[in-house]
Amino acid sequence: MAPKFPDEVNVFLVPHSRMKDLVGTYMDQLSTADFRSNGALEHLLPLLENTFTEFKSHEHIENQYIMERLKQRLKLVNVTCQSVCNCHGDSQLVEILDLLRDGYTCTSKSLTERINFGSQLQKVVSDFTKQFIPHMEEEEEIFQPLLMKYFAYEELLLLKQQVIQQHEFW
Ligand code: FEO
C-alpha cells in the first residue's frame, strides 16, 4: 500500500485514480468479451485505443513534468536514482497501440481469425495490466517520497496543478 501524502501535493493521486478507473472498465469488458459475436471487437477496439492513447499521454506528461524535474533536482543534490531515469523505459504502449490498430483489419475477417485476435488481445492487455498497476504503485511509493524530500511544498502544489492541467480528461 502506497504511503499517505497530503492530497494537495500528491502529484500522482488524481491521474492514477483516473488510470485505475480505466483499467477497471476495460478489464471487465475484455474478460467477458465473446469474440464469436458480431460487434465485440468493434466495441472493444475504440475503447482500448482511446484508453491506451490516454495511458501514453499520461506517460508523456509524467516524463516531462515529473521525472525530468525530479532527475534534475536529484542531480543538483548529487543523488542517483536509476529508476527515475528509466521509469518508462520498458513501456509496451506503442506496441499495444499498433496491435489495436491492426485489429481493425480483423473486423472483416473470418470467425477463427477474430477469435484468435481476441485471445491475443486479452493476453497482451492482461499482461500489460499486471505490470501497469505495480508500476503506478512504484511511482507513488518511490517517486512521491523523493518529490516530498527534494521539492518545497509550494513547488509541489504548482507541479500537481500543472500535471492535472496537462491531462485532458478534466
Ligand atoms: Fe503513472 Fe507511469 O504511470
Side-chain angles (χ1 to χ4, degrees), residues 12 16 58-59 62 87-88 132 135-136 139:
F12 296 106
H16 282 184
H58 170 67
E59 185 181 278
E62 285 182 336
C87 174
H88 297 119
F132 188 48
H135 164 79
M136 287 192 282
E139 290 175 335

Side-chain angles (χ1 to χ4, degrees), residues 17-42:
S17 169
R18 165 73 177 172
M19 301 305 130
K20 288 167 191 171
D21 284 349
L22 291 172
V23 166
T25 300
Y26 73 65
M27 284 308 285
D28 276 351
Q29 299 193 26
L30 195 61
S31 60
T32 57
D34 178 2
F35 294 105
R36 288 168 304 180
S37 80
N38 283 335
L41 267 182
E42 286 84 346

Side-chain angles (χ1 to χ4, degrees), residues 2 16 47 53 61 69 75 91-92 104 111 128 134 152 154:
H16 282 184
L47 170 80
T53 300
I61 294 163
R69 289 186 193 180
K75 200 172 162 190
S91 168
Q92 303 164 295
Y104 288 103
L111 183 61
F128 166 83
E154 290 71 22

